[in-house]
Amino acid sequence: MLKSVNISDKGIIRREVIAQALVKSFLLAGLDKKSLNLIASFSEIRKLKKKDILFYEGDVYKGFYYIVEGIIKIYRVSKEGKERIIHILHSNETFAEVPLLENYNKIIRGEAKYPATAMNICNGTRVIFIPAIEFIELLKVNPNLCFGLFSVLSKKLRMMQEQIVNVKSRDVTGRLVNYIISEFETKKAIEKSENRKTPGQTFQMSISKLDLASYLGATLETVSRTFKKLKTQNLIKIRGKDITIINYNNLKKLIH
């Protein structure tokens, strides 16, 4: 006979699950167990369906997110209605932290806004929502958390700078190859953190070719032609969304 679980027990279990997930976050990795449990006590896990929107650009800022598993795209829509992808984020990454460094009173008054839209783009995604006001109160008394936040934002600034360089100084081939190498390295890092064996040189594209074209600042037709060229040059193999890197070193030379 199964033992019933009361409401307080469920709360403890939920907090422990969240705390165990958050410890893998680069932002929160330096915190002690007490601080992680405190964050977990006011945070919540959300399960998402494909194409679920977490927030729209201009929505009132409520807090930020940590990806337990899944893929989130961050994008803006131009006045002409054209979507421009800013980031593609994977497991163990946080997003929407930037407004935390803006005027605290704007968050209290409900005047802070999300600067872009966030959409889930795969099945089985789980995220942890961390409310802004409670988190800021913790920042005030925890210097390690402040350093962690600055480190994460510095990393994202470098990513933005890399994306600008990628679009402005590289042709479409260089941009696409940079994406392929980056996705492959991300896959290896995730598998290493989870103590999984790396299955050869194959990885699965995390986004559609249409989203990829938007991310690279190119047309869908151009991206398709470039994939075909890389395949013809015997640098990669493509089967559905699976990409196998045949010659990593020669492929990487095309970035420069």
Side-chain angles (χ1 to χ4, degrees):
M1 182 175 180
L2 292 175
K3 182 180 179 181
S4 62
V5 180
N6 63 39
I7 294 175
S8 61
D9 288 337
K10 288 181 179 178
I12 293 171
I13 293 171
R14 180 194 62 81
R15 186 172 69 242
E16 289 178 349
V17 169
I18 294 176
Q20 289 172 7
L22 291 177
V23 76
K24 296 180 181 180
S25 163
F26 180 72
L27 170 59
L28 307 174
L31 295 183
D32 57 33
K33 187 175 180 180
K34 182 179 178 180
S35 297
L36 285 171
N37 284 332
L38 179 58
I39 295 173
S41 70
F42 56 73
S43 302
E44 63 178 83
I45 292 181
R46 297 179 180 176
K47 295 181 180 179
L48 305 176
K49 296 178 182 178
K50 191 173 183 179
K51 295 189 177 180
D52 275 354
I53 299 290
L54 287 97
F55 52 80
Y56 287 97
E57 179 180 356
D59 280 354
V60 174
Y61 184 76
K62 299 293 186 182
F64 67 101
Y65 295 82
Y66 167 73
I67 306 172
V68 180
E69 59 179 337
I71 305 165
I72 302 292
K73 75 173 180 179
I74 310 295
Y75 66 94
R76 287 177 175 169
V77 179
S78 68
K79 292 180 180 179
E80 295 76 24
K82 186 176 181 180
E83 182 182 295
R84 176 61 175 153
I85 296 177
I86 303 170
H87 291 302
I88 300 293
L89 301 164
H90 301 79
S91 302
N92 301 336
E93 293 190 89
T94 52
F95 61 96
E97 316 95 326
V98 173
L100 288 171
L101 297 182
E102 296 179 343
N103 192 322
Y104 173 62
N105 290 325
K106 291 177 81 174
I107 294 178
I108 294 291
R109 294 194 301 264
E111 296 174 359
K113 308 292 184 182
Y114 285 105
T117 299
M119 175 190 285
N120 173 43
I121 59 174
C122 70
N123 296 314
T125 293
R126 291 187 299 145
V127 299
I128 294 174
F129 171 69
I130 304 172
I133 294 176
E134 290 88 341
F135 188 77
I136 290 174
E137 291 302 315
L138 187 59
L139 277 175
K140 293 178 180 179
V141 296
N142 198 314
N144 287 336
L145 191 54
C146 292
F147 285 119
L149 180 60
F150 281 120
S151 295
V152 167
L153 295 178
S154 295
K155 178 184 177 183
K156 291 194 173 181
L157 178 59
R158 288 196 299 273
M159 287 171 59
M160 289 294 293
Q161 290 172 334
E162 171 65 22
Q163 189 175 353
I164 291 172
V165 169
N166 198 36
V167 172
K168 287 191 172 182
S169 64
R170 294 176 180 143
D171 59 15
V172 176
T173 299
R175 292 179 229 166
L176 178 57
V177 170
N178 186 65
Y179 166 80
I180 291 172
I181 296 295
S182 177
E183 284 287 286
F184 178 65
E185 295 298 336
T186 296
K187 183 210 69 160
K188 288 201 302 183
I190 291 173
E191 289 175 342
K192 183 178 180 181
S193 70
E194 296 176 349
N195 295 318
R196 287 190 290 162
K197 293 182 179 180
T198 303
Q201 300 294 99
T202 300
F203 70 95
Q204 189 174 78
M205 280 182 58
S206 61
I207 57 177
S208 67
K209 283 188 178 180
L210 185 60
D211 279 343
L212 178 57
S214 171
Y215 185 60
L216 298 178
T219 65
L220 177 60
E221 293 77 11
T222 301
V223 169
S224 296
R225 284 198 303 269
T226 307
F227 265 122
K228 186 175 181 180
K229 181 175 72 173
L230 295 176
K231 184 178 178 182
T232 301
Q233 293 173 341
N234 205 32
L235 296 173
I236 63 172
K237 287 183 180 179
I238 304 173
R239 184 174 183 179
K241 282 196 169 186
D242 289 339
I243 297 178
T244 300
I245 297 178
I246 298 174
N247 192 320
Y248 182 90
N249 291 332
N250 285 347
L251 188 65
K252 199 166 185 178
K253 288 178 183 178
L254 297 179
I255 297 177
H256 306 290

